[in-house]
Amino acid sequence: MNAGTGAGTDRDRGAGTDTAANNEQAELWNGIAGRGWVEAQEVMDDLLRPFETRLLEELAAVMDESPVRTLLDVGCGTGSTTMAAARRMGADGRCVGVDISEPMLNHARSRAQAQAKDLAIEFVHADAQEHALEKDFYDQIISRFGVMFFADSIKAFANLRSGIKSGGRLAFVAWRSPQENPFMTVPVKAAAQFVEIPPTPPNAPGQFGFADSKWVEHILKESGWVDVEIDPFDTTCSMPSENLRDFLNNVGPVSRLLPNVDDSKKQQIIDATIDALEPYKKDSEISFDAACWLVRARA
Ligand SMILES: C[S@@+](CC[C@H](N)C(=O)[O-])C[C@H]1O[C@@H](n2cnc3c(N)ncnc32)[C@H](O)[C@@H]1O
């Protein structure tokens, strides 16, 4: 078990020192976004559970064909999918979660210490685009919404490709377009009454950076992956309505606007957003349809 520190192994060579290429994202995920995700970890893990389940089904299908002993979880955040994969792989498995966010990894490490002491899990603080991975080491790479943030996605996926064994598999989920995910855009529209929202260029690193499947296909083919499959994955996500205020304060695009406004404007933004999300309220739950890609490829 190595969840405590993740230090002193080949896999964390240069940890924390190679983030220059993704400075902006590093700042975000080590600052407001990382702290928000730690704060909202339980809510987020429940909300995003259908994606974890789908990735585990994918892992199980690969394990039915050949052993999966080593797995890398990219942009693992607070570690839910890393621990779930480690449980699925059992005593013979070794799982590594890599992330650029120190606060999220610290949370992941203490969760693994408390919940998965008997499993071989290691958390590495590094930029997955630049970090020197052990060559031909992994059987499987997974990611739940952790791969859309690279400044140079082709370089990042070529780097991930270098760490996987020949024939090894990649499976990740990423959001489709904002138009297909109105639950994500409604809050931003509500907030736009109060603050200026900077435009996001298409394919720019961020939540919707992989919305265009042609772009994703181009990235994977250019970085040496084969048998690329990109399929829609639609599911329903839900959370108790009582968690909505916390969710909006801590996670997602609206939360990132809040540190720059005074307390009364902050309240107005959150109240307006909660009103705008009223159609998503059913009994005591908020639920919405999520439109994503399930992306699979082989090395
Ligand atoms: C949307 S969160 C998803 C976290 C986690 N996979 C989950 O589902 O709970 C995106 C994650 O990607 C990480 N990330 C962003 N850029 C990264 C990079 N260049 N290298 C490694 N991790 C990165 C962030 O720190 C964050 O933890």
Side-chain angles (χ1 to χ4, degrees), residues 58-71 85 88-90 92-94 137-141 164-169:
E58 220 31 60
L59 173 61
V62 175
M63 287 173 78
D64 282 347
E65 282 176 27
S66 53
V68 176
R69 299 214 169 82
T70 44
L71 176 142
R88 180 66 185 77
M89 288 159 67
D92 293 337
R94 294 182 70 182
F137 181 76
Y138 294 101
D139 294 308
Q140 173 86 45
I141 295 179
I164 200 155
K165 291 176 192 165
S166 173
R169 307 296 183 97

Side-chain angles (χ1 to χ4, degrees), residues 6-295:
T9 70
D10 280 352
R11 277 174 296 289
D12 72 346
R13 260 192 327 265
T17 62
D18 50 13
T19 56
N22 285 297
N23 264 343
E24 217 174 289
Q25 290 294 329
E27 201 178 311
L28 182 68
W29 292 104
N30 282 289
I32 172 174
R35 286 196 302 272
W37 272 71
V38 169
E39 194 64 38
Q41 175 255 307
E42 278 181 42
V43 176
M44 291 311 289
D45 280 341
D46 286 346
L47 190 72
L48 301 180
R49 189 81 60 211
F51 301 100
E52 179 174 298
T53 304
R54 188 65 192 85
L55 287 173
L56 284 192
E57 283 168 10
E58 220 31 60
L59 173 61
V62 175
M63 287 173 78
D64 282 347
E65 282 176 27
S66 53
V68 176
R69 299 214 169 82
T70 44
L71 176 142
L72 179 67
D73 185 1
V74 181
C76 64
T78 53
S80 182
T81 45
T82 325
M83 288 194 289
R87 280 188 205 104
R88 180 66 185 77
M89 288 159 67
D92 293 337
R94 294 182 70 182
C95 289
V96 177
V98 60
D99 203 285
I100 208 167
S101 167
E102 190 83 71
M104 292 173 84
L105 284 181
N106 284 341
H107 194 67
R109 287 177 186 130
S110 40
R111 292 177 78 196
Q113 284 282 13
Q115 300 166 26
K117 246 190 159 87
D118 50 329
L119 297 170
I121 303 174
E122 185 182 339
F123 289 108
V124 174
H125 180 217
D127 179 345
Q129 176 182 310
E130 304 291 323
H131 182 62
L133 296 173
E134 200 163 321
K135 301 287 170 226
D136 304 325
F137 181 76
Y138 294 101
D139 294 308
Q140 173 86 45
I141 295 179
I142 61 165
S143 181
R144 184 176 73 177
F145 303 123
V147 291
M148 306 91 79
F149 305 95
F150 301 121
D152 184 340
S153 291
I154 294 176
K155 187 174 181 195
F157 277 91
N159 189 41
L160 297 177
R161 167 82 184 71
S162 76
I164 200 155
K165 291 176 192 165
S166 173
R169 307 296 183 97
L170 168 72
F172 67 83
V173 285
W175 296 100
R176 298 213 300 277
S177 68
Q179 294 74 20
E180 290 167 282
N181 286 289
F183 184 82
M184 306 295 171
T185 53
V186 165
V188 179
K189 281 186 195 135
Q193 305 168 60
F194 305 98
V195 279
E196 202 181 321
I197 315 282
T200 315
N203 302 339
Q207 182 183 13
F208 294 113
F210 276 15
D212 178 359
S213 59
K214 292 268 171 278
W215 171 238
V216 179
E217 189 178 5
H218 169 75
I219 291 167
L220 291 176
K221 288 189 171 162
E222 285 298 305
S223 54
W225 293 88
V226 296
D227 295 346
V228 176
E229 290 177 57
I230 306 176
D231 296 309
F233 176 60
D234 296 321
T235 188
T236 303
C237 295
S238 43
M239 71 176 124
S241 334
E242 65 188 28
N243 291 337
L244 182 60
R245 191 169 283 272
D246 265 3
F247 169 82
L248 294 170
N249 266 308
N250 287 311
V251 193
V254 170
S255 68
R256 290 171 204 176
L257 306 168
L258 302 177
N260 306 321
V261 300
D262 63 40
D263 281 353
S264 85
K265 198 172 256 189
K266 203 178 281 186
Q267 239 14 277
Q268 286 177 308
I269 292 173
I270 295 291
D271 289 345
T273 308
I274 289 175
D275 285 349
L277 289 173
E278 191 59 33
Y280 295 89
K281 206 167 167 183
K282 286 175 199 121
D283 303 323
S284 57
E285 292 275 296
I286 296 283
S287 74
F288 61 91
D289 296 328
C292 296
W293 298 121
L294 172 66
V295 181

